[in-house]
Each structure stands twice: as C-alpha cells, then as structure tokens.
Amino acid sequence: MQKDENEFWYPEESQDTIHTGKKTSPKTNRQRKTSRKRRRKRKKINGHAVFFLVLFVVFIITVIRLLVWNIGKRSDYDPDEQTDEFDVELLDYVQPLDPSVLQGREDDGITTVLALGNDPLSDKTDGGGLAALMEEKTGAVIRNAAFSGSTISMKNQEFQSDYPLDGVSLYLLCAALCNQNFELMDVVATQLGDKAALTALDTLKNTDMQTVDALVLFYDLQDYKDRRTVYDENNTKNLNTVFGALSASIQLIQENYPHVRIFLLSPTYGTFTGTDGQTVDADRDDLGNGTLTDYINWQLEASRSNGITFIDTYYGAVTLEDGDCLTDGFHLNDKGRERVAKRFADVFPHTQK
C-alpha cells in the first residue's frame, strides 16, 4: 500500500479504526485531514497577542524610567552653605625681574622692601600693622613710607600749597627718591600736621635705594573716591590720571634703580558716604570715570605695559562679601590686614631671615 504524501503514517490498525474504548469505527480520509488541521492550528502563535504583549512591556519600562527620572539623583549642593570660595579668576600678573639688571650687583643677604601708599599701610604702623604682617609672612624687611589720604594721581597739574596732599602723590614721592631731594616733602609733612606723615618722611630720607630689592605700591580706593580721571589717550603720562601717574612713576624708578622689582597691589573692595549722604558702592557706582573695577583694570594695564607685578586684592583678599574685614566702609581692620598680607605673601618670593 502506497502512503499518501499529505497524510501522516499510522500503524495498520489505527489506519482502519478509531479506538473509542467501547466500539471502533472506520476513520475516513476527511476525518484524518480535519484532525491534522486542528493540531496545526493549536500550534500556531497569535500575532496580535505578541504585539500587545510587547506594547505592554514597553509601556511598563517607560513608566519605570519616568519615575526614576522624576526622583533624580541626590546632589551635594546646599543652598544655605556659607563659603569663602569665589568662582572668579584672579587678575594677578607676575613679572620676574630681568636677570641682566642684577649682573655685577652684590647681594647683601637681606631682602629689603620699600612700601609706598596710603591708609592700608599708614592706619596702623605697630606690630599688628600691614607692613609688619607682610614682613612676618615673607621674611623680608619692610620699610613703610605711606602717607594717609594720598593718591596715585595728582589733583592739580602742578603742586599748590592749598592742596598739600599732591606733594605726597606717587610721582612726586618717586621723584624725591630719585633726586634725593626732600625739600618739598618737608613742607608738605609740616602742613599735613600728621605724626604718621613725619615718620613716613623720615623713612624715605633714611632709605638707601641701592640696598632696596623691591618697591611695593598699595593705595586704596582714594583715587576713585576723589573722582580722578583714569586714562588720557592723548597723554599716557598725564599725572592727573591714574594710568599716567602710575606709568610715569614706574618708569622713573626703573630708569634710576633698575635692580628694584616693583609690586603693585590693587585696592580692596569698599564703600563710603558720598557728598549727598548716600552710600557709594565701589563695585557698582560710577562716579564719572567708571566703577572701582575700571580703575583696577587700568592699574593692571599699567603693570603689564611697564613690566611690573600686579597683585589682585580686590577679588583675592577683601571682596564685596567681606564686610567683616573693613571699618568705616573701606579701611582695613585686623582681619582685613591679615588677608592682604597673606595675599601679598602668596606672590612675593619668600626669604629666610
């Protein structure tokens, strides 16, 4: 008997009969085909069911991921945290001295620094003063010749006796040192009637510039407070401008004492009461020539142009958030002096006493 290729093969008995348990009956070809179709249908996968199952799984995964995203990741940020760190770049410009200017110069083993400036240096001149702190932190000998209330720039084009502070402005101090002529200083110190001014003048007279290794210039916001012009594009050595007076003074020292390395410290932040009785914020208020930061930027430019070192104390020592470092708005207290001395020592080369 030849087997039909479309049929399954069964033993002879099962091809002729179907066992029911009670009675057997012949199984027709139609019955056998129908039985095979049912078995095949039961084995076929339902496409719709698979689609909805996959869709359901995707939905569950999406819900889970959305819940996790909403929960987020724990951050260490604390909005109430108090910190002294600032996300600002310091304006320091460090310029080493050209080694050629020191050739043939004999080192006496003592680093001597002459400090010129105003109130930050002159407010307190004893052991807790800024000069003493700078000396302690660097190992150098600091000679303090600062005049209270003085400025970098001159108010008048020429010295006038009715405004003696011009006589102790930066350029005239440098000229007196280079010429070793202190006649005008004698008159001015007497007019000022300030014991600290007489002490500063005595320091100048008794300083041998040939033994001085470095010159430090540190003035507070007095030029800004007095509304002095910052820059004159037609005269870069205009002594009535901050940039001009700085440039002329630096160049005068460099020409006469090329072995002296010059350091300029920027003003720190400060406030004061204006003529109208309103508080002036140096960081925000333009009195006609820019805010204090404009003055600082021109000081930095004068430093770069003339190859001296600039130390930023505005952003690097006493900032607008450091009111506890100031008295009367802009005068340094003990904490402020400590901050500035440390800032200076961070840049100034340390020596061994």
Side-chain angles (χ1 to χ4, degrees):
M1 176 178 175
Q2 185 176 0
K3 183 175 74 171
D4 188 346
E5 292 180 356
N6 295 323
E7 293 180 356
F8 288 102
W9 182 84
Y10 296 94
E12 289 186 3
E13 182 179 357
S14 60
Q15 288 182 10
D16 296 334
T17 62
I18 298 176
H19 295 278
T20 63
K22 294 182 179 180
K23 184 179 179 180
T24 61
S25 61
K27 186 176 183 179
T28 65
N29 287 337
R30 180 178 293 178
Q31 286 175 322
R32 286 195 295 271
K33 290 180 179 180
T34 299
S35 177
R36 286 199 306 271
K37 287 180 181 181
R38 286 176 180 172
R39 285 195 299 271
R40 289 176 180 175
K41 188 174 182 180
R42 282 196 299 269
K43 294 180 181 179
K44 185 178 181 180
I45 298 175
N46 190 316
H48 289 85
V50 171
F51 172 77
F52 284 110
L53 178 62
V54 171
L55 187 63
F56 177 73
V57 171
V58 171
F59 174 75
I60 293 299
I61 293 174
T62 302
V63 170
I64 292 173
R65 295 190 66 175
L66 182 60
L67 290 174
V68 171
W69 182 83
N70 282 333
I71 294 173
K73 183 179 180 181
R74 182 177 179 81
S75 171
D76 294 330
Y77 173 69
D78 181 2
D80 298 321
E81 180 184 4
Q82 298 296 320
T83 177
D84 292 330
E85 299 296 326
F86 301 95
D87 295 329
V88 295
E89 183 177 352
L90 296 181
L91 301 176
D92 289 354
Y93 176 75
V94 179
Q95 179 64 52
L97 198 63
D98 185 349
S100 65
V101 302
L102 299 177
Q103 288 181 359
R105 177 176 170 78
E106 187 175 341
D107 186 359
D108 60 5
I110 301 173
T111 301
T112 303
V113 178
L114 177 64
L116 303 180
N118 57 11
D119 300 41
L121 288 160
S122 65
D123 277 347
K124 192 173 183 179
T125 57
D126 58 14
L130 178 58
L133 292 172
M134 293 163 67
E135 186 173 89
E136 175 187 320
K137 293 181 183 299
T138 61
V141 174
I142 310 290
R143 299 180 64 82
N144 185 1
F147 291 85
S148 179
S150 63
T151 54
I152 295 173
S153 63
M154 293 181 64
K155 180 178 180 180
N156 304 301
Q157 291 186 347
E158 296 181 355
F159 174 75
Q160 298 179 16
S161 59
D162 61 348
Y163 190 75
L165 282 172
D166 264 355
V168 289
S169 62
L170 178 60
Y171 182 79
L172 293 187
L173 286 181
C174 292
L177 281 169
C178 293
N179 297 324
Q180 287 297 293
N181 184 339
F182 300 99
E183 291 180 5
L184 179 59
M185 303 294 107
D186 287 327
V187 174
V188 170
T190 302
Q191 281 186 281
L192 292 174
D194 183 358
K195 182 179 179 181
L198 293 171
T199 301
L201 177 57
D202 187 62
T203 299
L204 288 175
K205 289 180 176 181
N206 291 283
T207 297
D208 181 359
M209 290 300 293
Q210 295 301 330
T211 65
V212 172
D213 299 289
L215 178 67
V216 169
L217 311 176
F218 187 26
Y219 289 82
D220 61 16
L221 50 66
Q222 194 68 50
D223 285 87
Y224 163 79
K225 186 173 181 286
D226 289 351
R227 303 168 187 258
R228 303 291 171 84
T229 303
V230 185
Y231 179 75
D232 179 359
E233 63 180 6
N234 297 315
N235 182 6
T236 57
K237 291 186 181 180
N238 184 343
L239 300 181
N240 298 125
T241 69
V242 173
F243 180 89
L246 267 175
S247 294
S249 301
I250 292 167
Q251 291 173 25
L252 191 60
I253 295 294
Q254 289 174 331
E255 290 168 4
N256 288 273
Y257 306 112
H259 65 277
V260 175
R261 185 179 178 187
I262 303 174
F263 295 80
L264 173 62
L265 277 66
S266 78
T268 65
Y269 170 78
T271 63
F272 59 91
T273 302
T275 55
D276 58 359
Q278 299 296 315
T279 298
V280 177
D281 185 336
D283 186 67
R284 180 190 62 212
D285 297 328
D286 182 346
L287 303 181
N289 295 289
T291 63
L292 183 58
T293 54
D294 293 307
Y295 283 72
I296 291 172
N297 285 329
W298 280 110
Q299 289 184 23
L300 173 58
E301 182 59 31
S303 300
R304 287 174 172 167
S305 300
N306 294 285
I308 70 167
T309 294
F310 180 84
I311 302 177
D312 178 9
T313 69
Y314 186 85
Y315 294 113
V318 179
T319 74
L320 59 85
E321 297 186 10
D322 296 315
D324 60 340
C325 293
L326 302 166
T327 60
D328 300 327
F330 66 94
H331 289 273
L332 297 176
N333 59 21
D334 288 342
K335 184 176 181 180
R337 283 187 280 270
E338 179 70 26
R339 288 271 188 93
V340 172
K342 183 180 183 304
R343 184 86 261 278
F344 173 70
D346 287 343
V347 179
F348 190 83
H350 289 220
T351 60
Q352 297 294 327
K353 278 192 173 182

